[in-house]
Amino acid sequence: MAFCVLRHKKHRRYPVIGPVVLLMLALLVSGCALFASAPPSQQSNICEIFRQEPSWYDHAKNAQDKWGTPIATQMAFIHQESSFQSHVKPPRDRLLGFIPWFRSSSAYGYAQAQDPVWGEYEEEAGGLLTRRTHMKYATDFIGWYNRRSHERLGISLDNPEHLYFAYHEGPTGYRRGYHRNKPQVLRSAARVSGLASRYQSQLAGCESEFRCRHFWQVWPFCRG
């Protein structure tokens, strides 16, 4: 670590953290948001999303194979939750209408996972190195959560609307039907369902572009 040095009358030296070190610390605290990838420019088309970020297809495909949630549904969830912004958080409330205050929840990252459930994911499936700001773990988290909703609540993995209700309200809230009295949640779930259907149709016409693009993906283990 680099330090500057100030000299006292008695020639004692006092380390002072330099501006470069301060900048590095600020970036670490902020989660390196300045270096995050820009969100896809054409978010209504899953083919264009994967053309801009081809590794996202790999992550979503791995999550689909592992947990069962279709690629299109995973990406529709992420579009709804964060618009593909890696470091997004809920806005801060305002005390007295103008003083920045606490955030409404601990939701963070692509999947807007909150601290408690992310901790459960880390313990059960993710591990300590998972990051909510990485698409690999966002898709895996969504797959894990939806598999849990399927097993606990009996929701089909091909029903993005009700998967989203459970995702937003949690298993207890879903069982009690809290979403039925929340117009905004109903609208969000309908958007997720419609976008998942559109993404699925689009992906059917372009998925061959993203399969078998690595040198180790060879026939007959990989087919376009």
Side-chain angles (χ1 to χ4, degrees), residues 120-222:
E120 293 178 35
Y121 165 70
E122 286 181 324
E123 291 181 5
E124 293 184 17
L128 295 177
L129 298 180
T130 58
R131 304 192 310 278
R132 283 175 278 187
T133 56
H134 196 297
M135 186 61 73
K136 174 182 178 179
Y137 304 111
T139 54
D140 194 65
F141 171 79
I142 289 170
W144 167 81
Y145 195 99
N146 286 343
R147 168 62 65 173
R148 193 169 69 163
S149 295
H150 170 69
E151 293 174 349
R152 294 182 179 183
L153 304 170
I155 303 173
S156 170
L157 293 174
D158 293 318
N159 188 339
E161 183 176 29
H162 280 260
L163 287 173
Y164 186 79
F165 288 146
Y167 190 82
H168 193 276
E169 299 299 310
T172 300
Y174 180 83
R175 288 192 188 96
R176 295 178 179 177
Y178 290 163
H179 55 281
R180 299 190 189 101
N181 299 316
K182 296 181 177 181
Q184 184 174 351
V185 175
L186 295 174
R187 289 191 295 270
S188 295
R191 283 195 296 269
V192 167
S193 181
L195 186 58
S197 179
R198 184 191 313 165
Y199 278 173
Q200 186 61 49
S201 296
Q202 294 167 346
L203 190 61
C206 69
E207 190 170 8
S208 60
E209 295 179 31
F210 311 107
R211 292 175 174 164
C212 308
R213 62 189 181 83
H214 298 292
F215 72 89
W216 65 84
Q217 296 173 319
V218 296
W219 189 92
F221 305 104
C222 182

Side-chain angles (χ1 to χ4, degrees), residues 33-47:
L34 293 177
F35 298 109
S37 299
S41 56
Q42 299 186 48
Q43 298 187 12
S44 62
N45 190 316
I46 197 171
C47 301

Side-chain angles (χ1 to χ4, degrees), residues 24-154:
M24 292 175 64
L25 290 174
L27 290 174
L28 288 172
V29 171
S30 66
C32 299
L34 293 177
F35 298 109
S37 299
S41 56
Q42 299 186 48
Q43 298 187 12
S44 62
N45 190 316
I46 197 171
C47 301
E48 295 303 324
I49 291 171
F50 289 150
R51 285 171 187 144
Q52 183 172 333
E53 297 287 349
S55 64
W56 289 7
Y57 172 81
D58 297 335
H59 300 324
K61 181 66 165 62
N62 289 337
Q64 174 182 269
D65 294 343
K66 183 177 180 181
W67 302 110
T69 295
I71 292 171
T73 298
Q74 296 174 46
M75 302 309 284
F77 269 48
I78 292 171
H79 181 278
Q80 176 62 38
E81 291 300 287
S82 66
S83 297
F84 300 101
Q85 298 175 78
S86 60
H87 289 70
V88 69
K89 298 179 181 180
R92 292 186 181 276
D93 293 331
R94 296 281 173 173
L95 184 66
L96 302 177
F98 66 95
I99 301 174
W101 201 238
F102 298 107
R103 300 184 191 277
S104 57
S105 79
S106 59
Y108 181 49
Y110 284 119
Q112 288 295 280
Q114 297 191 43
D115 291 350
V117 71
W118 186 261
E120 293 178 35
Y121 165 70
E122 286 181 324
E123 291 181 5
E124 293 184 17
L128 295 177
L129 298 180
T130 58
R131 304 192 310 278
R132 283 175 278 187
T133 56
H134 196 297
M135 186 61 73
K136 174 182 178 179
Y137 304 111
T139 54
D140 194 65
F141 171 79
I142 289 170
W144 167 81
Y145 195 99
N146 286 343
R147 168 62 65 173
R148 193 169 69 163
S149 295
H150 170 69
E151 293 174 349
R152 294 182 179 183
L153 304 170

